[in-house]
């Protein structure tokens, strides 16, 4: 009787232990499954976000390219007719010697047409839009409710809007950024009372989430099956289960590291000029603001060299844009070799203009460096038989140095260096001039 009671007690004890173990094990599995679901969901959104950013950067690059060239002339046909909104531009329409009629497409029109071309393809869809009261083409660019809320947010100072929403019942990752008016935009928008920095519209892209959700579901299905098997195996497989989970988490950490690395590489690409491979305007502006604050704190000189390729439009007209691009690449390479110090930055400022930022550099040293840049380009002997001043490509260079004061701004340094560049051009080009900031 005692033996039977002892056996019953053991069975009861083991039953309680088994129930507790099964409950704890089930809770652990449930919590772990929920955690993996959150990671998979977050990864699917991050992947869609990366794709959306890539398409946004592509469209931004196309718009900047169009703005940098003042638009593009294309033949007039059934798909392209002269834009009445550009009628104030004297050379909106031109006729080639062969009699072809060409009309000017502004950057947004270029971007809209490109978006129309790939609208039927199974790729993320982009859109250019604006507030209804400022729309130039309501038929094609009218914002939906989500876009309208983003536009009002941009008007209040927001820099982007991104969200997963349903479009026609299908989840999409939507990303939208504001389009601000810059100096190049005013050429086509002079009759709209825009000023530099005003919100002219927004650029958006919608990435279908279906493939990412399907991939997430496949991953989760495998996890459910694996965890179900682990749960069924029982207590003796617990250590094995933990080892597998640890390995699985490590794999996810490696995946996240790779995604982070890809994000960092994508961010670095966004700071490089696509043609020359040197810093672009965005990176230059960031560096100028950073070095300006540093120079103000340390009371050290900050120099800026503005460089312009003489008669580059003539060069493009004579040799073609492909040769013009090769010329700019060569110039960028030579200028990069001149800027040797780690903190020196050479950037493509826009079109045929370059900027060389020199922290902790006095005016005399900056002027010498500018002269070295000019001489090296001249000595490189890039053929330019149609130049008005030489038979090779030459540079006009403006230099400015300042020790920033409390009430100064980086814009003064840019403006003064640009004025020095203008003087160099006015004096006959292929020379270096310098100027001072007037306090």
């Amino acid at each position: 009787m005692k033996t039977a009671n002892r056996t019953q007690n053991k069975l009861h004890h083991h039953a309680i232990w088994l129930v507790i173990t099964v409950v704890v094990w089930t809770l652990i599995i449930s919590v772990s499954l929920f955690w993996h679901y959150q990671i998979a969901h977050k990864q699917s959104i991050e992947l869609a976000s990366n794709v959306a950013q890539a398409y946004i950067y592509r469209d931004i690059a196309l718009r900047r390219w169009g703005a940098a060239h003042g638009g593009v002339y294309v033949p007039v046909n059934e798909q392209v007719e002269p834009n009445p909104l550009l009628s104030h531009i004297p050379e909106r329409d031109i006729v080639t010697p062969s009699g072809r009629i060409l009309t000017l497409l502004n950057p947004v029109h270029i971007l809209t047409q490109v978006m129309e071309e790939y609208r039927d393809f199974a790729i993320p869809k982009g859109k250019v839009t604006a507030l209804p009261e400022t729309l130039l083409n309501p038929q094609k660019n009218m914002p939906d409710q989500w876009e309208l809320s983003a536009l009002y947010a941009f008007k209040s100072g927001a820099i982007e809007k991104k969200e997963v929403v349903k479009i026609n019942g299908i989840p999409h990752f939507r990303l939208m950024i504001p389009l601000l008016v810059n100096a190049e935009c005013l050429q086509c928008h002079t009759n709209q009372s825009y000023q530099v920095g005003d919100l002219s519209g927004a650029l958006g892209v919608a990435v279908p989430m279906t493939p990412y959700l399907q991939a997430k579901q496949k991953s989760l299905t495998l996890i459910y099956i694996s965890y179900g098997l682990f749960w069924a195996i029982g207590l003796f497989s617990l250590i094995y289960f933990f080892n597998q989970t640890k390995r699985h988490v490590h794999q996810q950490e490696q995946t996240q590291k790779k995604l982070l690395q890809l994000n960092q590489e994508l961010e670095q690409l966004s700071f490089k000029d696509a043609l020359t491979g040197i810093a672009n305007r965005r990176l230059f502006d960031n560096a100028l603001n950073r070095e300006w604050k540093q120079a103000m704190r340390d009371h050290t000189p900050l120099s800026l060299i503005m460089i312009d390729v003489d008669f580059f439009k003539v060069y493009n007209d004579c040799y073609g844009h492909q040769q013009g691009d090769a010329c700019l690449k060569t110039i960028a390479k030579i200028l990069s070799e001149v800027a040797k110090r780690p903190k020196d930055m050479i950037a493509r400022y826009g079109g045929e203009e370059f900027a060389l930022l020199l922290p902790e550099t006095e005016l005399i040293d900056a002027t010498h460096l500018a002269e070295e840049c000019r001489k090296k380009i001249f000595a490189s002997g890039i053929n330019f038989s149609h130049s008005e001043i030489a038979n090779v490509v030459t540079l006009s260079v403006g230099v400015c140095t300042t020790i920033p004061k409390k009430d100064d701004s980086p814009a003064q340094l840019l403006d003064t260096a640009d004025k020095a560049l203008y003087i160099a051009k006015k004096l006959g080009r292929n020379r270096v001039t310098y100027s001072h900031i007037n306090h």
Side-chain angles (χ1 to χ4, degrees), residues 48 53 89 153 194-195 210 271 314 333 340 342 356 385 397 428:
Q53 289 179 18
I89 298 178
Y194 277 125
Q195 295 182 356
T210 302
F271 284 116
V314 177
K333 182 176 183 297
K340 299 176 182 177
L356 181 52
S385 59
V397 187

Side-chain angles (χ1 to χ4, degrees), residues 236-252:
F236 292 102
S237 300
L238 193 58
I239 296 177
Y240 173 78
F241 163 74
F242 283 135
N243 288 335
Q244 291 299 311
T245 302
K246 184 178 180 180
R247 182 174 64 85
H248 185 68
V249 170
H250 178 70
Q251 290 176 346
Q252 286 191 327

